[in-house]
Amino acid sequence: MVHRKLSLSLAVFLLALPVFGQQQSTPKQKPRVIVVGVNGMELDIIRPLLLKGQMPNLSKVIEKGAYGKLRTVSAPNCPRVYSTLFTSTDPEEHGVSGFIVGGITANTNMLKEEPVWSMLSKGGITVGMANVPATFPVMPVNGYMISGMLTRGKNCEDGVLCAPKLSEVLGGDAVYPKSMQAELLKNVGDFYIDCERMPAAADLKGHETELIDKWLGKVQLIREQQTKLFDYLLTTHPTEFTFLAQSCEDRTGHWLYPITPFNVGYNASINNVRQDAFPDQYVAFDKVLGSILKHVDENTYLIIFSDHGIKPLREFEEKDPHAHMDHEKTTPVIAKHDFADGDDVPGSFFAMGPGIKHDLRLMGLGASVYDVAPTLLHIYGIEQPKQMRGRILTEIFESSDNKVAVKK
Ligand SMILES: [Zn+2]
């Protein structure tokens, strides 16, 4: 219900926006921000790649900006954390507490708190979003939105951890405005909206190497499609605020994390086959980042974050590697992000842009997923609404501009 109200008020607002080309009184340049979400990005895996020079683009961002760990919510999973990140409220408050809520796949109709893209749209900022988890069915924005993880469609009827093609989406709109869908099909192709589902344990048995390679091939195909989509959007539909997301990394980590024979759940026929599969995801992501960086100039803010990290199962965790709480229990899982002892694996945060400190390492767990939305509003000079629980990450800025509104 709240969602309908939010959508309606935003739709009315969007109608009132000045049409492009109309006379406006001294238009003021608004900040440009590109946010890139990488699902489950794990610093333990990334650090050696940075040292080996295999992630030159992320290295550049670190050199020019601030980075560190990002505290996450309890029992983190993608829809739960992303919805907290959008709204800066607790999962119990925003309503999207997991993949399935009350027996139904989580969707935007469940969102009970206003997301940051709606606030930015109302602030007259142009918004573009693609493949962001938990944005299906899409909501109206002052720009465009293409849904991500949890989009339902053919061969992915429940929308949980599978990949419908754009033309095969069912049960709601995957593109706003609707008219953009034909344009995307024509110019980008019929891309997969989310990452491939992991193979089932029964299918893997006896065909491990073959299925792992086939799955990794599909993951790379999806990444190439996403790169093309992102580049197309940034080129032909530039917006002041752009939010793009990647989701294949996390899924790869869950069953192909480079573990040793002493780790819980180790199975040589799976875990000794492609030891580099998970690190390779980040090497591949770095190339995606390279194509995004072409659209980032001195006046653009770039924020890269992960909703949580991922670690191998611990000795005190379930001995049964199928007993994994985050994803479908069909793939032998050897790493995860919501541990029984409450030791939830933090994500990571990277930011660069005008006025952001260079080469700053954020120590400890001072920054959290709750702080991203308030920090975004701060960049645009929009007052932080009182329901938001996070804070502005003032420590990343050279000087805090006291003209910018803070939470009252
Ligand atoms: Zn996961």
Side-chain angles (χ1 to χ4, degrees), residues 39-40 76-78 99 161 250-251 254 308-310 324 326-327 335-337:
N39 195 3
N77 62 50
C78 206
F99 285 95
L161 300 164
D250 178 64
R251 242 163 276 182
H254 275 292
H308 52 70
I310 185 162
H324 174 57
D326 310 318
H327 294 254
K336 62 181 198 174
H337 31 84

mmCIF file of all heavy atoms in Angstrom, residues 39-40 76-78 99 161 250-251 254 308-310 324 326-327 335-337, ligand 1:
data_model
loop_
_atom_site.group_PDB
_atom_site.id
_atom_site.type_symbol
_atom_site.label_atom_id
_atom_site.label_comp_id
_atom_site.label_asym_id
_atom_site.label_seq_id
_atom_site.Cartn_x
_atom_site.Cartn_y
_atom_site.Cartn_z
ATOM 1 N N ASN A 39 27.816 -7.664 -5.737
ATOM 2 C CA ASN A 39 27.253 -8.541 -4.724
ATOM 3 C C ASN A 39 28.334 -9.401 -4.065
ATOM 4 O O ASN A 39 29.044 -10.141 -4.727
ATOM 5 C CB ASN A 39 26.193 -9.416 -5.392
ATOM 6 C CG ASN A 39 25.297 -10.094 -4.399
ATOM 7 O OD1 ASN A 39 25.409 -9.881 -3.201
ATOM 8 N ND2 ASN A 39 24.414 -10.926 -4.901
ATOM 9 N N GLY A 40 28.453 -9.261 -2.749
ATOM 10 C CA GLY A 40 29.347 -10.122 -1.972
ATOM 11 C C GLY A 40 30.836 -9.910 -2.226
ATOM 12 O O GLY A 40 31.621 -10.847 -2.056
ATOM 13 N N PRO A 76 22.891 -11.282 6.774
ATOM 14 C CA PRO A 76 22.776 -10.545 5.515
ATOM 15 C C PRO A 76 22.481 -11.428 4.307
ATOM 16 O O PRO A 76 23.033 -12.518 4.185
ATOM 17 C CB PRO A 76 24.162 -9.892 5.353
ATOM 18 C CG PRO A 76 25.097 -10.769 6.117
ATOM 19 C CD PRO A 76 24.301 -11.307 7.266
ATOM 20 N N ASN A 77 21.614 -10.973 3.471
ATOM 21 C CA ASN A 77 21.474 -11.512 2.115
ATOM 22 C C ASN A 77 21.096 -10.349 1.224
ATOM 23 O O ASN A 77 20.740 -9.274 1.710
ATOM 24 C CB ASN A 77 20.471 -12.673 2.045
ATOM 25 C CG ASN A 77 19.080 -12.248 2.433
ATOM 26 O OD1 ASN A 77 18.554 -11.263 1.929
ATOM 27 N ND2 ASN A 77 18.478 -12.994 3.346
ATOM 28 N N CYS A 78 21.181 -10.596 -0.055
ATOM 29 C CA CYS A 78 21.115 -9.503 -1.005
ATOM 30 C C CYS A 78 19.876 -8.586 -0.898
ATOM 31 O O CYS A 78 20.006 -7.388 -0.688
ATOM 32 C CB CYS A 78 21.239 -10.113 -2.375
ATOM 33 S SG CYS A 78 21.893 -8.992 -3.523
ATOM 34 N N PHE A 99 14.888 -13.147 0.780
ATOM 35 C CA PHE A 99 14.476 -13.519 -0.584
ATOM 36 C C PHE A 99 12.971 -13.786 -0.630
ATOM 37 O O PHE A 99 12.286 -13.413 -1.572
ATOM 38 C CB PHE A 99 15.221 -14.792 -1.030
ATOM 39 C CG PHE A 99 16.654 -14.557 -1.394
ATOM 40 C CD1 PHE A 99 17.666 -14.749 -0.470
ATOM 41 C CD2 PHE A 99 16.992 -14.140 -2.671
ATOM 42 C CE1 PHE A 99 18.991 -14.526 -0.813
ATOM 43 C CE2 PHE A 99 18.311 -13.914 -3.024
ATOM 44 C CZ PHE A 99 19.319 -14.107 -2.083
ATOM 45 N N LEU A 161 17.276 -16.304 -7.504
ATOM 46 C CA LEU A 161 18.608 -16.728 -7.936
ATOM 47 C C LEU A 161 18.603 -17.418 -9.292
ATOM 48 O O LEU A 161 19.204 -18.473 -9.491
ATOM 49 C CB LEU A 161 19.246 -17.638 -6.877
ATOM 50 C CG LEU A 161 19.410 -16.943 -5.531
ATOM 51 C CD1 LEU A 161 19.673 -17.920 -4.426
ATOM 52 C CD2 LEU A 161 20.513 -15.904 -5.601
ATOM 53 N N ASP A 250 28.999 -13.126 -6.071
ATOM 54 C CA ASP A 250 28.579 -13.784 -4.832
ATOM 55 C C ASP A 250 28.257 -15.255 -5.068
ATOM 56 O O ASP A 250 28.688 -16.134 -4.325
ATOM 57 C CB ASP A 250 27.358 -13.058 -4.258
ATOM 58 C CG ASP A 250 26.843 -13.729 -3.000
ATOM 59 O OD1 ASP A 250 27.585 -13.741 -2.005
ATOM 60 O OD2 ASP A 250 25.718 -14.258 -3.020
ATOM 61 N N ARG A 251 27.509 -15.492 -6.124
ATOM 62 C CA ARG A 251 27.097 -16.871 -6.395
ATOM 63 C C ARG A 251 28.310 -17.771 -6.663
ATOM 64 O O ARG A 251 28.342 -18.922 -6.255
ATOM 65 C CB ARG A 251 26.137 -16.893 -7.582
ATOM 66 C CG ARG A 251 24.786 -17.414 -7.180
ATOM 67 C CD ARG A 251 23.728 -17.071 -8.171
ATOM 68 N NE ARG A 251 23.197 -15.733 -7.961
ATOM 69 C CZ ARG A 251 22.221 -15.230 -8.686
ATOM 70 N NH1 ARG A 251 21.699 -15.932 -9.661
ATOM 71 N NH2 ARG A 251 21.765 -14.015 -8.445
ATOM 72 N N HIS A 254 29.981 -18.750 -3.349
ATOM 73 C CA HIS A 254 29.265 -19.708 -2.510
ATOM 74 C C HIS A 254 29.700 -21.153 -2.728
ATOM 75 O O HIS A 254 29.741 -21.929 -1.789
ATOM 76 C CB HIS A 254 27.757 -19.618 -2.747
ATOM 77 C CG HIS A 254 27.100 -18.551 -1.930
ATOM 78 N ND1 HIS A 254 26.987 -18.629 -0.572
ATOM 79 C CD2 HIS A 254 26.533 -17.374 -2.289
ATOM 80 C CE1 HIS A 254 26.371 -17.546 -0.119
ATOM 81 N NE2 HIS A 254 26.101 -16.757 -1.144
ATOM 82 N N HIS A 308 27.782 -7.289 1.388
ATOM 83 C CA HIS A 308 28.400 -8.138 2.412
ATOM 84 C C HIS A 308 29.594 -8.791 1.752
ATOM 85 O O HIS A 308 29.748 -8.720 0.533
ATOM 86 C CB HIS A 308 27.409 -9.203 2.926
ATOM 87 C CG HIS A 308 26.770 -10.002 1.831
ATOM 88 N ND1 HIS A 308 27.462 -10.920 1.082
ATOM 89 C CD2 HIS A 308 25.517 -9.975 1.317
ATOM 90 C CE1 HIS A 308 26.651 -11.433 0.176
ATOM 91 N NE2 HIS A 308 25.464 -10.872 0.276
ATOM 92 N N GLY A 309 30.448 -9.442 2.554
ATOM 93 C CA GLY A 309 31.541 -10.226 1.981
ATOM 94 C C GLY A 309 31.148 -11.691 1.974
ATOM 95 O O GLY A 309 29.959 -12.020 2.050
ATOM 96 N N ILE A 310 32.115 -12.564 1.884
ATOM 97 C CA ILE A 310 31.829 -14.008 1.922
ATOM 98 C C ILE A 310 33.069 -14.738 2.433
ATOM 99 O O ILE A 310 34.189 -14.375 2.088
ATOM 100 C CB ILE A 310 31.355 -14.519 0.527
ATOM 101 C CG1 ILE A 310 30.931 -15.981 0.586
ATOM 102 C CG2 ILE A 310 32.406 -14.292 -0.553
ATOM 103 C CD1 ILE A 310 30.066 -16.413 -0.599
ATOM 104 N N HIS A 324 22.784 -24.433 3.961
ATOM 105 C CA HIS A 324 23.211 -23.052 3.778
ATOM 106 C C HIS A 324 21.979 -22.169 3.850
ATOM 107 O O HIS A 324 20.963 -22.458 3.259
ATOM 108 C CB HIS A 324 23.901 -22.935 2.419
ATOM 109 C CG HIS A 324 24.250 -21.547 2.067
ATOM 110 N ND1 HIS A 324 25.040 -20.787 2.881
ATOM 111 C CD2 HIS A 324 23.916 -20.792 1.018
ATOM 112 C CE1 HIS A 324 25.170 -19.605 2.315
ATOM 113 N NE2 HIS A 324 24.493 -19.576 1.195
ATOM 114 N N ASP A 326 21.549 -18.866 2.992
ATOM 115 C CA ASP A 326 21.316 -17.713 2.118
ATOM 116 C C ASP A 326 20.580 -18.056 0.825
ATOM 117 O O ASP A 326 19.764 -17.310 0.355
ATOM 118 C CB ASP A 326 22.641 -17.080 1.692
ATOM 119 C CG ASP A 326 23.526 -16.827 2.871
ATOM 120 O OD1 ASP A 326 22.997 -16.379 3.876
ATOM 121 O OD2 ASP A 326 24.724 -17.090 2.758
ATOM 122 N N HIS A 327 20.975 -19.160 0.231
ATOM 123 C CA HIS A 327 20.506 -19.447 -1.115
ATOM 124 C C HIS A 327 19.716 -20.749 -1.138
ATOM 125 O O HIS A 327 19.547 -21.406 -0.128
ATOM 126 C CB HIS A 327 21.703 -19.513 -2.069
ATOM 127 C CG HIS A 327 22.388 -18.187 -2.237
ATOM 128 N ND1 HIS A 327 22.274 -17.421 -3.346
ATOM 129 C CD2 HIS A 327 23.164 -17.481 -1.385
ATOM 130 C CE1 HIS A 327 22.962 -16.311 -3.184
ATOM 131 N NE2 HIS A 327 23.512 -16.315 -2.008
ATOM 132 N N ALA A 335 30.968 -21.649 1.227
ATOM 133 C CA ALA A 335 31.235 -20.317 1.786
ATOM 134 C C ALA A 335 29.911 -19.588 1.916
ATOM 135 O O ALA A 335 28.966 -19.868 1.175
ATOM 136 C CB ALA A 335 32.179 -19.541 0.874
ATOM 137 N N LYS A 336 29.828 -18.665 2.844
ATOM 138 C CA LYS A 336 28.576 -17.933 3.014
ATOM 139 C C LYS A 336 28.800 -16.628 3.774
ATOM 140 O O LYS A 336 29.939 -16.268 4.100
ATOM 141 C CB LYS A 336 27.529 -18.799 3.682
ATOM 142 C CG LYS A 336 27.888 -19.269 5.082
ATOM 143 C CD LYS A 336 26.748 -20.139 5.595
ATOM 144 C CE LYS A 336 26.787 -20.295 7.081
ATOM 145 N NZ LYS A 336 25.622 -21.005 7.589
ATOM 146 N N HIS A 337 27.710 -15.926 4.044
ATOM 147 C CA HIS A 337 27.866 -14.604 4.661
ATOM 148 C C HIS A 337 27.005 -14.397 5.898
ATOM 149 O O HIS A 337 27.049 -13.353 6.509
ATOM 150 C CB HIS A 337 27.623 -13.474 3.654
ATOM 151 C CG HIS A 337 26.629 -13.793 2.568
ATOM 152 N ND1 HIS A 337 25.287 -13.667 2.727
ATOM 153 C CD2 HIS A 337 26.830 -14.242 1.308
ATOM 154 C CE1 HIS A 337 24.685 -14.021 1.594
ATOM 155 N NE2 HIS A 337 25.596 -14.384 0.715
HETATM 156 ZN ZN ZN B 1 25.132 -14.973 -1.260
#
